[in-house]
Amino acid sequence: MSTLTNIVQGILNMGSSVVLPIIIFILAMVFRVPVKKAITSGLTVGIGMLGINLVLGLLSDNVGPAAQAMVERMGLNLTVVDAGWPAVSAATWAQPIAAVMIPVILIVNLVMLAFKWTKTLNIDIWNYWHMSAAAATGYVVTGNFFWGILCGIAYTIIVQIVADKTAPYVQEYYGLEGVAFTTGSAQGYGLIGIPVAWLVSKIPGIKNLHVEPEAIQKRFGIFGEPMIMGIIIGIVLSLLGGYDITKTLQTGMAMGAVMFILPRMVKILMEGLIPIQEAAQAMLQKRYEGREIFLGMDAALATGSPAALSTGLLMVPITLFIAIILPGNRVLPFADLATIPFFAALVVPTRKGNILHSVISLTVVITLALWMATDFAPVLTHMSEGIVKFPKGAAQVSNFDTGGNVLNWIFLKLSQLLKSLVG
């Protein structure tokens, strides 16, 4: 088990920019893409993902400190610190059940494809940790290895179903032909956010307000340009954090750069995927009479959309404000604030990019997420002990990506119920 864990961790530690080209090349060979084109496609996808990660790093490096400055300025005293998805991911992979889940998830996916229970082939292997986190939660809470595996399998099935159902929105709005989002956090927030956003769109007075990037650009001219919107949002966040003029302008420029560069990085990645999609569709049409297959990808691709990115950035100060006033909340938002655009990935396309409707619905979801993350804190803290360095002043740790994710929270409650029943 230890050897298997080390092998899996070693592969995952290479990062998506290395692992994804290998996966794409193997898929290209399966779908009989010429070797030269297969190599080029894999490398192009890897370079695109590397570019996305670099830009997201710029986003995280600027949003995190700005949020921390806001927290310190407000003098908050919340005892559960949001340690972020990297910390919880590390804690997940440290559990003995996690390495077993990699082949289990793949087998479940392939079986579902074979029986036509899903259209999505999930190649987003480094995000398998979301399913593994459900398995680890079940195992840690109950001590039952097989229950943990069952939780991971159930989570995988849900991910496949949600990916199929939301793929048309993803493909139409983001222009990602043949792609579905299989990131567990995006799906968890979408499960609540999509119906809430639908209800928001029925509210008199609000339903007719269309705040899409295109409408903003048309009405406000240069101030509606995505990069200008990013600069403005960055400046506002900096001012709320009490930055001086130099740091404020630097942060504003960084956010403008994120809004400007990300769509181009996503475009590069998609250039590499196109030959695989075309070859896959040709083979499937020949063998399965036109059967449609989607490639399950990281919801990071959504951050190439100005609407998704703007929604996520606007939610940062809103999330902090909710954390301050929400009764029963003990979570101090921090590390996962930069990942909120991922949480908006499935909500935004169902509202056709309406930023107002998306922000209102995510405000509701984040409120629930803070309560769930507070409830999840003891288990995530136990999983993280000795593995994750706790932030200064933290009595416990939690996060939004897992602790505030309704899918993971449901498996937490089911595991706790099972433990109480069996004593």
Side-chain angles (χ1 to χ4, degrees):
M1 184 66 71
S2 177
T3 302
L4 179 60
T5 300
N6 291 335
I7 292 173
V8 170
Q9 192 63 58
I11 294 172
L12 293 172
N13 284 342
M14 294 179 185
S16 58
S17 60
V18 174
V19 176
L20 188 54
I22 296 172
I23 296 171
I24 293 299
F25 177 78
I26 293 172
L27 282 176
M29 291 292 93
V30 171
F31 294 126
R32 298 178 182 176
V33 176
V35 175
K36 181 180 177 180
K37 186 176 286 188
I39 293 173
T40 303
S41 293
L43 293 176
T44 302
V45 169
I47 290 168
M49 185 56 73
L50 182 60
I52 290 172
N53 288 335
L54 287 172
V55 181
L56 290 178
L58 179 64
L59 174 67
S60 179
D61 290 345
N62 284 272
V63 170
Q68 186 177 23
M70 291 169 61
V71 168
E72 292 174 354
R73 197 179 185 198
M74 295 173 184
L76 302 183
N77 185 27
L78 299 170
T79 57
V80 179
V81 175
D82 163 25
W85 72 265
V88 177
S89 174
T92 295
W93 291 121
Q95 306 304 317
I97 197 171
V100 177
M101 284 308 302
I102 298 291
V104 169
I105 293 165
L106 274 171
I107 291 169
V108 170
N109 189 179
L110 293 174
V111 168
M112 292 182 72
L113 276 170
F115 285 94
K116 299 183 180 180
W117 296 338
T118 184
K119 297 179 181 179
T120 303
L121 174 61
N122 186 359
I123 63 173
D124 187 20
I125 288 180
W126 53 92
N127 270 320
Y128 279 18
W129 80 266
H130 289 98
M131 290 79 101
S132 297
T137 299
Y139 172 65
V140 168
V141 171
T142 66
N144 188 312
F145 193 87
F146 295 103
W147 169 254
I149 294 292
L150 183 61
C151 289
I153 290 173
Y155 197 119
T156 302
I157 293 171
I158 294 170
V159 164
Q160 295 299 134
I161 293 171
V162 174
D164 287 351
K165 297 296 184 183
T166 56
Y169 297 102
V170 168
Q171 293 168 18
E172 180 182 358
Y173 182 73
Y174 296 122
L176 302 173
E177 184 179 350
V179 169
F181 288 160
T182 46
T183 307
S185 54
Q187 292 200 350
Y189 280 80
L191 281 175
I192 301 177
I194 291 172
V196 170
W198 180 84
L199 290 173
V200 169
S201 70
K202 303 301 179 183
I203 299 174
I206 294 179
K207 67 179 182 181
N208 296 323
L209 294 177
H210 299 282
V211 189
E212 297 92 3
E214 296 79 9
I216 294 173
Q217 186 173 347
K218 183 177 180 180
R219 176 169 297 220
F220 296 101
I222 189 173
F223 292 101
E225 292 281 351
M227 65 176 174
I228 302 298
M229 290 169 58
I231 290 171
I232 293 171
I233 293 171
I235 288 174
V236 171
L237 287 176
S238 301
L239 292 175
L240 289 172
Y243 281 7
D244 60 28
I245 185 64
T246 299
K247 189 63 176 174
T248 295
L249 293 176
Q250 289 174 342
T251 303
M253 283 302 297
M255 293 299 97
V258 168
M259 295 286 277
F260 185 81
I261 298 172
L262 260 179
R264 287 157 174 76
M265 293 300 104
V266 173
K267 185 177 180 181
I268 290 172
L269 186 146
M270 289 307 299
E271 286 177 5
L273 283 180
I274 287 172
I276 313 300
Q277 294 170 349
E278 291 176 346
Q281 292 300 332
M283 177 179 286
L284 292 168
Q285 285 174 1
K286 183 178 180 180
R287 293 193 177 187
Y288 299 105
E289 299 180 355
R291 183 180 172 191
E292 193 174 30
I293 297 292
F294 307 139
L295 294 180
M297 296 288 289
D298 195 330
L301 295 180
T303 57
S305 160
L309 199 51
S310 296
T311 297
L313 292 177
L314 289 170
M315 284 304 302
V316 171
I318 293 172
T319 299
L320 287 165
F321 178 72
I322 296 171
I324 296 168
I325 66 171
L326 185 64
N329 172 58
R330 294 191 295 113
V331 175
L332 174 62
F334 178 55
D336 266 347
L337 287 173
T339 65
I340 295 180
F342 296 177
F343 305 158
L346 293 178
V347 177
V348 169
T350 63
R351 292 297 98 215
K352 297 182 178 180
N354 192 318
I355 296 172
L356 177 63
H357 291 182
S358 300
V359 167
I360 293 173
S361 61
L362 279 174
T363 298
V364 175
V365 180
I366 286 293
T367 300
L368 299 174
L370 282 165
W371 277 325
M372 288 186 285
T374 297
D375 185 50
F376 220 130
V379 172
L380 288 181
T381 300
H382 176 65
M383 286 174 57
S384 302
E385 287 174 345
I387 301 161
V388 176
K389 184 179 179 181
F390 284 21
K392 184 179 179 180
Q396 293 181 315
V397 294
S398 189
N399 76 332
F400 283 102
D401 196 287
T402 304
N405 183 335
V406 67
L407 283 176
N408 293 85
W409 185 78
I410 287 172
F411 286 106
L412 168 69
K413 304 320 288 184
L414 289 174
S415 299
Q416 290 174 337
L417 176 62
L418 177 64
K419 182 179 180 180
S420 67
L421 290 175
V422 299

